[in-house]
Amino acid sequence: MLTIKPIPTLDKQKEILAKCGITYRDNHFAYQAYEGDELIAAAQFDILGETAQIDAMRQVIDSKDDFEAMFILGRAVLNFLDLCGVCTAIYPSDKPDEQRLAKLLGFKDLNGVPTISLAGLFDAHCSSGSGCTL
């Protein structure tokens, strides 16, 4: 089962981010994604009032591609930001995999910066807004 949660300590944050090739930044938030006991990926981001910046969302270096896990990690980060009252998030990355992930998460180019409005992003249960039934 995929588990995504905040990284609990700064030492652990530095360790996990390094395994994913992400440069640690002081006072930034970080999430980790595990499949069972295996670290899959991590994300680092910062909240700047009503705007947030995602620094990176990457898999463990030299791991097999798990784009579904990355998408779920991205959604978890965006949901957390939304719950914190953030209105807009940016994801300025020059890495092709991260740019592709940003597009799939719904980021749009705004003056050369991938940007997403969080307003209403998590309000509906499904695309019809009326709840989902099987």
Side-chain angles (χ1 to χ4, degrees):
M1 174 182 5
L2 184 67
T3 303
I4 298 171
K5 59 186 178 180
I7 303 174
T9 66
L10 292 181
D11 288 339
K12 196 71 172 166
Q13 187 172 342
K14 290 175 186 177
E15 174 190 333
I16 289 172
L17 293 176
K19 288 180 181 181
C20 297
I22 300 173
T23 302
Y24 168 80
R25 295 188 184 194
D26 285 332
N27 302 316
H28 285 214
F29 297 89
Y31 268 26
Q32 57 191 334
Y34 278 86
E35 183 73 44
D37 292 335
E38 180 184 354
L39 177 66
I40 301 292
Q44 181 174 241
F45 52 96
D46 195 16
I47 298 175
L48 311 162
E50 292 186 355
T51 301
Q53 177 172 317
I54 298 172
D55 301 318
M57 286 192 281
R58 298 188 193 139
Q59 289 186 217
V60 172
I61 297 169
D62 295 327
S63 64
K64 69 175 185 135
D65 184 39
D66 190 342
F67 209 76
E68 289 175 352
M70 293 303 298
F71 181 80
I72 295 167
L73 173 63
R75 292 289 291 186
V77 168
L78 294 175
N79 186 58
F80 173 77
L81 295 173
D82 181 49
L83 291 172
C84 288
V86 171
C87 297
T88 305
I90 61 171
Y91 190 3
S93 176
D94 60 356
K95 300 202 176 302
D97 285 350
E98 289 182 288
Q99 292 171 342
R100 181 174 160 234
L101 177 60
K103 283 184 181 180
L104 288 174
L105 288 169
F107 284 78
K108 305 285 186 215
D109 186 280
L110 184 64
N111 300 319
V113 179
T115 305
I116 190 169
S117 171
L118 301 177
L121 188 62
F122 295 97
D123 290 350
H125 294 285
C126 67
S127 60
S128 70
S130 61
C132 296
T133 59
L134 294 176

